[in-house]
Amino acid sequence: MDKMFKRTLLGAAVASVAFSGSALAKPATETVDLYGQIAISIAQNANNTAGADKPIVMDNESRIGVRGAAQFERGPKIIWQLEGGNVGDDGSGSGLGVRDTYGGFDFDQGGKLYFGRVLTPLFEVIDGYTGQSSGAGFTTGNTGNVNYDRQPNMIRYDSANLGGFSFDLAVGRGEEEIEGSNVYSGSAQFTAGVATFKAAYEHNNDRPLADNIHGESNAYIAGVNLDFDNMGFHMAYLNAEIQADPTNDNTTVTPGYNKKSQDAIKLGAYYTGVEHWTFNLNYAANSDVETDGVKATKNTTAITGQAMYSIDPAAVVYLRLVHQEDETTAGTESDLGWRVGMEYYF
């Protein structure tokens, strides 16, 4: 009986080792992908402040990440990602988790559900229209804090492709230190032939406007992409507004914080008819900011052009010109900037 008891304990000990995390783990090379980019450029940015210096700068947007997926024997497929930020000049902010970092499940035809730090569906659509430095004009930032880009503490669901239609939904925290500050966002797209139609919306509660003043914000975007054999065009419209809430902290809302709104448009085209080359042309502009129904001169226009050459399926070099016209300060300032760089993706 004593020997049988000892054998049972030994069997339990062996079983505990067999079911430990290290014993269960599959080889990383089978379940983990290492990915990232090496992106370095030299630029003299457009500067719309009269008399200001225009230094030549180097931008290092290199970053790295790891991601993986594993099919559970008795459950759905797990998906996860740990993504670092751009290294910048001094490496600050480049640690894992700075960009999209999440864990979740892939239900195949049932879509994906994941949790963590992710892009909001609205910003993901906006970001697709801000290439080649055109984001200087395609923004509603002069209204103040309107929408988020990527947020921690988010739950997001991405549907499968349903006959050319798909949608994304997300909900989560806005400002962690503000009770009741939440973000709700959704997007949808539909592809038919050469045309892809996109739309997205985001609502935020208790966005900070100024000291002790919070508000509710709404933003939406609608766009269409036309992609042919060796050329394409796109256009998009963005609108955002924020309404201050005077009940927050029993603070009286000061004039100018009651309601602000702004919209922006984006037009773009690309051409790939020359072997290994891609040419882009963009026009983006936002409107005057409307404050409590009164327009103020606060708009920016950006016209950008880029020539990009593929030196490898995973690497490009490019030259970009950026013209900006800014009316957010007294008078109208315009300037021309340039950027030359290389990008390698792995």
Side-chain angles (χ1 to χ4, degrees):
M1 185 70 178
D2 184 57
K3 291 182 179 179
M4 182 180 295
F5 179 70
K6 289 181 179 179
R7 285 197 297 268
T8 302
L9 289 180
L10 179 61
V14 171
S16 68
V17 172
F19 283 96
S20 68
S22 59
L24 285 175
K26 295 181 179 179
T29 53
E30 295 182 9
T31 60
V32 177
D33 292 327
L34 177 69
Y35 71 97
Q37 67 180 39
I38 303 299
I40 301 172
S41 61
I42 300 174
Q44 189 173 43
N45 295 313
N47 190 331
N48 296 313
T49 303
D53 291 336
K54 289 177 56 180
I56 295 178
V57 297
M58 179 178 290
D59 289 333
N60 194 334
E61 298 178 289
S62 303
R63 59 178 179 263
I64 197 169
V66 288
R67 59 192 170 201
Q71 179 63 58
F72 288 168
E73 292 184 6
R74 292 169 295 281
K77 179 188 292 185
I78 185 175
I79 54 175
W80 60 271
Q81 178 171 299
L82 300 170
E83 188 169 275
N86 296 340
V87 298
D89 293 335
D90 58 2
S92 61
S94 60
L96 286 179
V98 175
R99 290 172 63 88
D100 294 11
T101 299
Y102 57 82
F105 302 97
D106 186 345
F107 300 100
D108 195 18
Q109 295 303 310
K112 299 177 182 179
L113 179 66
Y114 45 107
F115 316 84
R117 184 175 183 84
V118 298
L119 290 172
T120 71
L122 174 89
F123 184 78
E124 189 169 35
V125 176
I126 293 175
D127 196 41
Y129 289 110
T130 58
Q132 299 93 51
S133 303
S134 60
F138 193 59
T139 176
T140 54
N142 290 327
T143 59
N145 296 319
V146 179
N147 64 276
Y148 293 99
D149 47 19
R150 57 175 48 84
Q151 279 296 96
N153 306 317
M154 295 285 290
I155 302 172
R156 176 165 164 162
Y157 172 76
D158 296 349
S159 78
N161 189 319
L162 308 171
F165 174 78
S166 63
F167 65 92
D168 310 305
L169 300 171
V171 60
R173 291 289 293 156
E175 305 296 322
E176 292 189 14
E177 67 277 10
I178 300 176
E179 183 179 359
S181 177
N182 298 312
V183 53
Y184 309 90
S185 185
S187 66
Q189 68 174 18
F190 176 69
T191 299
V194 299
T196 298
F197 303 91
K198 301 182 179 185
Y201 171 77
E202 183 171 315
H203 173 79
N204 298 312
N205 293 329
D206 282 342
R207 287 302 308 264
L209 281 174
D211 292 341
N212 298 321
I213 300 177
H214 305 158
E216 291 193 355
S217 66
N218 296 283
Y220 66 86
I221 183 174
V224 58
N225 294 24
L226 303 174
D227 296 295
F228 302 96
D229 288 339
N230 57 11
M231 68 176 61
F233 308 90
H234 65 257
M235 60 188 74
Y237 170 77
L238 173 66
N239 176 270
E241 67 175 28
I242 188 162
Q243 173 72 58
D245 183 358
T247 63
N248 280 291
D249 301 324
N250 297 316
T251 302
T252 301
V253 177
T254 57
Y257 282 105
N258 289 336
K259 185 176 183 179
K260 287 188 176 182
S261 63
Q262 188 177 32
D263 52 25
I265 61 170
K266 170 69 188 303
L267 303 173
Y270 70 86
Y271 178 69
T272 60
V274 181
E275 188 176 13
H276 304 308
W277 285 91
T278 300
F279 301 94
N280 299 85
L281 183 63
N282 300 280
Y283 171 84
N286 52 33
S287 69
D288 291 338
V289 176
E290 189 171 290
T291 304
D292 297 334
V294 178
K295 288 188 176 182
T297 302
K298 286 190 174 182
N299 59 67
T300 305
T301 300
I303 301 174
T304 71
Q306 176 175 283
M308 182 172 66
Y309 181 73
S310 174
I311 57 178
D312 183 86
V316 298
V317 292
Y318 64 89
L319 170 65
R320 182 185 307 164
L321 298 178
V322 181
H323 178 269
Q324 287 184 214
E325 188 172 283
D326 193 349
E327 295 184 0
T328 60
T329 57
T332 300
E333 301 290 343
S334 62
D335 199 7
L336 181 67
W338 55 267
R339 181 178 298 273
V340 59
M342 63 83 65
E343 296 179 359
Y344 163 60
Y345 299 90
F346 58 89

